[in-house]
Amino acid sequence: MPQHVLITGGAGFIGTRLARRFADAGHRVRVLDSLLPQVHGPDPATTSPLLASLDGVAEVVRGSVTSTADLREALRGVGLVVHLAAETGTGQSMYEIDRYVETNVGGTAKLLDLLANEPHGVERIVVASSRSIYGEGAYRTADGRTVYPPHRSDADMAAGDFDVHMPGEGDVTVVPTDEQAKLHPSSVYGITKQMQESLIMTVAPTLGIEPVSLRYQNVYGPGQSLKNPYTGILSIFSTLIRQGKEINIFEDGEESRDFVYIDDVVEATFLGATAPSAAGGVFNVGSGVPTTVNQVVAALFEAFGTRVPTRISGNYRLGDIRHNIADTSRLREVLGYSPAIGFQEGVTRFVEWVLSEPVEGDSYQRSLDEMAARNLLK
């Protein structure tokens, strides 16, 4: 049945594509977004292609999830909420702590407070959680046990040892992390995402609302911000390549992430919002395939058909994890969905889009300087 859908943070990278997916399926869509300059430029009406893509697709309410009045307006007549609104960026979260907590945790609390205390028609809330809530995730010992190692120490990384260690164990090997894994985030961003998820999954059922949590892995693809230096190494490296600048590869380049293409994320989210079987579920949304930073650089060089100097510097950021692989079997078994776009194809599509965009100014170095000044980048 067609519904009236609210997407908080819906003018962003994921939200705009999701809005179109809902609209194409016959749903009425409303978007609530604060249109931050960090993402949308100084004058969103003229500087944000993402905002422009919502013309004829969704009603746009400019406002913040930290405002009760804005949320109240956005919730009018809505039966389904997809809660994407959040400050993003592991590194930045470590020194803009109040802003991240206020938006990610406080905004979610305000949303639930309104639903708890005022009449509404909301039947389901889907929250965009994150793989960051797992911290280092799952590893296997030599005798086959699954363990969840603590965060890497500054002292080890300063000595050039970037591997994950489990006290009392020998070598451990990374394995896919499933939804039953220990939650122990290593950054302020991860902590706020865990709290967002916990609030939704705990409170919504008491209000007669079906909760769904989607733990996104590293989402990439056309439409990803090329301006925001705090998220997305594919965007950051692509801008450096187009500017002919050196790429500084942190650690030893063998740290890995689970990159998942935007179209796969949108389809998984749509199913999480509409499939009856999703109610009450928690799902990893990823490719299930690890890709190292060195492999990312090689794939980008191939897609661009050019190279720039690279330097494996041994630099590292406090709060970063070493590896990331999602176990996506629950997504497949419950929702019947498996990601369709492999990394090589996804990078090719991404680079084709990047080449159609203007070359952005270099704000990446400024973001690194901010972290270094606070002793978070070594």
Side-chain angles (χ1 to χ4, degrees):
M1 293 282 292
Q3 292 207 60
H4 193 178
V5 183
L6 169 64
I7 307 175
T8 69
F13 169 43
I14 299 172
T16 49
R17 292 208 172 203
L18 183 62
R20 182 168 293 279
R21 178 67 178 89
F22 275 112
D24 288 346
H27 300 277
R28 182 182 172 193
V29 184
R30 178 182 295 146
V31 161
L32 173 67
D33 202 292
S34 57
L35 303 178
L36 287 176
Q38 184 169 300
V39 177
H40 296 279
D43 179 17
T46 59
T47 58
S48 177
L50 290 172
L51 179 60
S53 73
L54 292 173
D55 289 348
V57 173
E59 172 195 0
V60 178
V61 175
R62 185 169 188 173
S64 172
V65 291
T66 62
S67 164
T68 298
D70 292 345
L71 279 169
R72 183 180 289 117
E73 178 184 355
L75 284 167
R76 283 184 297 102
V78 165
L80 169 66
V81 176
V82 181
H83 186 39
L84 302 181
E87 298 289 353
T88 61
T90 299
Q92 190 181 45
S93 78
M94 299 297 284
Y95 57 90
E96 295 203 16
I97 299 163
D98 182 62
R99 181 161 72 95
Y100 272 71
V101 172
E102 179 184 17
T103 300
N104 299 359
V105 181
T108 303
K110 277 187 166 57
L111 171 64
L112 290 168
D113 194 82
L114 271 174
L115 295 173
N117 293 290
E118 298 186 7
H120 65 83
V122 175
E123 298 175 348
R124 179 176 291 191
I125 301 178
V126 180
V127 61
S129 186
S130 166
R131 69 88 29 227
S132 64
I133 70 177
Y134 294 125
E136 288 292 348
Y139 280 71
R140 187 150 296 153
T141 62
D143 59 1
R145 289 174 293 113
T146 299
V147 294
Y148 302 99
H151 313 317
R152 296 178 295 168
S153 74
D154 190 0
D156 283 347
M157 292 191 286
D161 179 4
F162 302 113
D163 288 331
V164 169
H165 302 288
M166 185 72 184
E169 303 287 353
D171 291 340
V172 291
T173 304
V174 65
V175 294
T177 300
D178 66 21
E179 292 87 349
Q180 300 304 310
K182 177 182 177 180
L183 305 183
H184 60 142
S186 60
S187 67
V188 172
Y189 172 70
I191 291 168
T192 65
K193 297 306 286 187
Q194 181 182 356
M195 292 181 72
Q196 272 192 319
E197 177 182 308
S198 295
L199 284 166
I200 295 293
M201 300 304 291
T202 301
V203 176
T206 71
L207 307 178
I209 299 172
E210 297 173 343
V212 179
S213 177
L214 303 176
R215 294 175 178 170
Y216 293 155
Q217 310 300 301
N218 289 65
V219 187
Y220 74 100
Q224 190 169 16
S225 177
L226 299 173
K227 302 183 183 74
N228 188 347
Y230 300 100
T231 58
I233 66 168
L234 280 109
S235 292
I236 291 166
F237 289 173
S238 292
T239 297
L240 293 172
I241 290 169
R242 296 186 76 191
Q243 294 173 335
K245 294 184 176 180
E246 177 187 74
I247 294 175
N248 176 0
I249 299 173
F250 287 0
E251 302 188 14
D252 57 4
E254 290 304 301
E255 62 273 29
S256 66
R257 298 294 182 267
D258 184 333
F259 292 96
V260 57
Y261 192 68
I262 180 63
D263 291 357
D264 286 320
V265 171
V266 167
E267 192 58 29
T269 305
F270 181 79
L271 290 172
T274 58
S277 60
V282 177
F283 304 91
N284 286 332
V285 179
S287 68
V289 178
T291 303
T292 69
V293 173
N294 288 329
Q295 290 171 328
V296 168
V297 172
L300 286 171
F301 285 169
E302 181 178 347
F304 276 108
T306 190
R307 303 175 65 89
V308 296
T310 60
R311 175 169 55 95
I312 298 177
S313 65
N315 291 143
Y316 59 93
R317 298 189 310 179
L318 298 181
D320 275 355
I321 55 100
R322 178 62 169 171
H323 296 299
N324 170 25
I325 316 169
D327 181 332
T328 60
S329 57
R330 182 177 292 181
L331 184 70
R332 181 178 63 255
E333 293 164 2
V334 177
L335 299 185
Y337 188 73
S338 295
I341 307 299
F343 185 69
Q344 195 63 53
E345 180 182 352
V347 168
T348 299
R349 293 186 186 186
F350 173 68
V351 168
E352 287 175 353
W353 169 76
V354 170
L355 290 171
S356 72
E357 296 292 305
V359 179
E360 295 294 341
D362 184 10
S363 56
Y364 178 53
Q365 187 58 50
R366 174 173 54 81
S367 72
L368 298 183
D369 292 342
E370 288 178 357
M371 292 198 68
R374 293 164 174 82
N375 208 34
L376 296 168
L377 172 64
K378 304 296 184 77

